[in-house]
Amino acid sequence: MVRHFIPETLGEALDILSDHACQIMAGGTDLMVQKRTTAGVAPAFAKDVLYIQRIKALKEIIHTDEIVRIGSACPLEEILHDQEVPKLLRDATLDVASPAIRHMATLGGNIGNASPAGDTLVPLYVLDARIVLSSKRKNREVLLADMITGVRKTVMHEDEMITEVIIPKHKFQKSTWVKVGGRRANAISKVSFAGVADINDGVITDIRMAFGAVSPTVVRSLPIEGMMIGKTKETIGDVIGEVVSAYDLLIHPIDDQRSNQSYRKQVAMNLLTDFIKTLF
Ligand SMILES: Cc1cc2nc3c(=O)[nH]c(=O)nc-3n(C[C@H](O)[C@H](O)[C@H](O)COP(=O)(O)OP(=O)(O)OC[C@H]3O[C@@H](n4cnc5c(N)ncnc54)[C@H](O)[C@@H]3O)c2cc1C
């Protein structure tokens, strides 16, 4: 029989995880859909369930001058209304589901689900977010881009959980988030794009871009971004073609019920080109 655990503290939760193989449940907005059976029948869980929603320490947002630390069980709706959270993440969070879902859904759940269409992942890649993975044995920090290895695949061990998301604070001069979905709310992304840039004295000094829902994991390429550093209004045109071709090789969308490969690819390339063309 499947048991459930509802700890009040992080210490208790980590003790439970070290002793039992558990399915972690935060808001349950992904899990209850994934584990559904038929109408009127309770969802089917194969493992014991560890509910983390009562752990206050996982719901905090802590700011310093340099970083923001967001507890993994913090509801998305709270992140949305915290003006010190980077704008790019707030913009993407506003596009997740609908207000009712966002009150239950958590940032840790969006990451733990490891879907290429997870909307907060795209800005978090661009913002160089680090994920704190905790177990009874130790805490470790992993770059989000290194944590997610495939569709619903992560480097997390069975006794680990996401406890915090650490985001370096930096106000980018340009910040763009675009989600393409079937409707304005409660739509999973067909394609998404996040881009940020700093331009000083007419020269690109920092530029970062990432795409969601077009490959098994979010696509971001530091070498391609590097091709644009140092470019100006006059010279950016020299590399646009090369940049688009380089991303074209990295983006491998699939056909599914929401969209098809060629549409996704074309839209991703259009979003990239638009972002670069409107930098200056
Ligand atoms: C109607 C509807 C619309 C939606 N629209 C969107 C959308 O527009 N964009 C979008 O990105 N998502 C959307 N979703 C999906 C979902 O709401 C989000 O992914 C949400 O952030 C999941 O958070 P949760 O707390 O509910 O996760 P849960 O369902 O509790 O968990 C999801 C996964 O993460 C794991 N997990 C949770 N917390 C942790 C933790 N602390 N450590 C380790 N693993 C953990 C769980 O074990 C599970 O595998 C939608 C869902 C619904 C039902």
Side-chain angles (χ1 to χ4, degrees):
M1 197 181 77
V2 171
R3 290 170 295 175
H4 64 268
F5 301 97
I6 313 180
E8 303 275 342
T9 67
L10 179 57
E12 271 176 73
L14 297 181
D15 280 346
I16 294 163
L17 272 184
S18 95
D19 295 340
H20 307 267
C22 282
Q23 175 86 60
I24 297 170
M25 184 179 305
T29 61
D30 271 313
L31 274 181
M32 295 303 275
V33 176
Q34 286 163 20
K35 306 290 179 187
R36 72 187 183 279
T37 48
T38 48
V41 178
F45 283 88
K47 286 190 207 165
D48 292 345
V49 181
L50 174 69
Y51 294 86
I52 59 169
Q53 283 290 51
R54 288 216 192 145
I55 304 173
K56 287 200 181 82
L58 294 182
K59 294 180 160 256
E60 291 174 347
I61 303 181
I62 297 167
H63 292 279
T64 68
D65 288 344
E66 288 84 30
I67 54 168
V68 50
R69 308 177 78 99
I70 304 179
S72 62
C74 187
L76 294 180
E77 192 67 20
E78 276 186 38
I79 295 168
L80 188 59
H81 297 296
D82 186 321
Q83 295 302 312
E84 282 195 63
V85 167
K87 180 178 179 303
L88 187 68
L89 179 59
R90 282 185 282 123
D91 288 347
T93 304
L94 181 63
D95 273 344
V96 175
S98 58
I101 298 278
R102 287 196 300 267
H103 277 280
M104 287 304 292
T106 65
L107 190 61
N110 205 232
I111 296 166
N113 197 43
S115 158
D119 285 323
T120 70
L121 303 185
V122 189
L124 290 175
Y125 268 62
V126 161
L127 296 170
D128 286 340
R130 300 191 308 277
I131 310 302
V132 181
L133 298 176
S134 302
S135 69
K136 201 174 168 182
R137 297 173 288 115
K138 63 169 185 179
N139 292 332
R140 58 178 176 133
E141 266 182 44
V142 190
L143 200 62
L144 175 60
D146 295 333
M147 183 193 154
I148 298 182
T149 54
V151 179
R152 302 206 194 293
K153 290 193 187 123
T154 72
V155 299
M156 232 182 333
H157 300 306
E158 273 240 313
D159 64 343
E160 284 182 320
M161 64 188 286
I162 303 164
T163 45
E164 280 185 313
V165 179
I166 301 176
I167 308 170
K169 271 191 187 168
H170 179 82
K171 238 187 182 148
F172 287 94
Q173 293 164 16
K174 305 271 173 189
S175 171
T176 298
W177 159 254
V178 185
K179 169 171 174 168
V180 179
R183 55 188 176 197
R184 289 296 301 279
N186 277 334
I188 304 296
S189 286
K190 295 178 185 204
V191 183
S192 61
F193 175 84
V196 289
D198 280 332
I199 297 167
N200 290 298
D201 298 327
V203 177
I204 298 175
T205 52
D206 193 350
I207 184 160
R208 308 176 192 181
M209 293 155 292
F211 301 84
V214 292
S215 279
T217 59
V218 169
V219 173
R220 179 181 171 197
S221 165
L222 302 187
I224 303 177
E225 291 169 6
M227 290 159 64
M228 285 181 280
I229 299 292
K231 296 295 175 217
T232 61
K233 189 176 180 178
E234 290 70 35
T235 58
I236 190 72
D238 301 346
V239 291
I240 292 185
E242 217 180 320
V243 166
V244 172
S245 304
Y247 271 115
D248 194 61
L249 295 175
L250 291 183
I251 288 176
H252 305 291
I254 54 163
D255 290 332
D256 66 10
Q257 72 276 23
R258 282 182 210 107
S259 192
N260 62 47
Q261 291 180 23
S262 57
Y263 175 83
R264 284 186 158 121
K265 182 76 156 255
Q266 185 63 58
V267 171
M269 293 302 134
N270 291 350
L271 294 174
L272 172 65
T273 314
D274 285 354
F275 174 66
I276 300 173
K277 283 189 172 161
T278 53
L279 282 174
F280 294 97

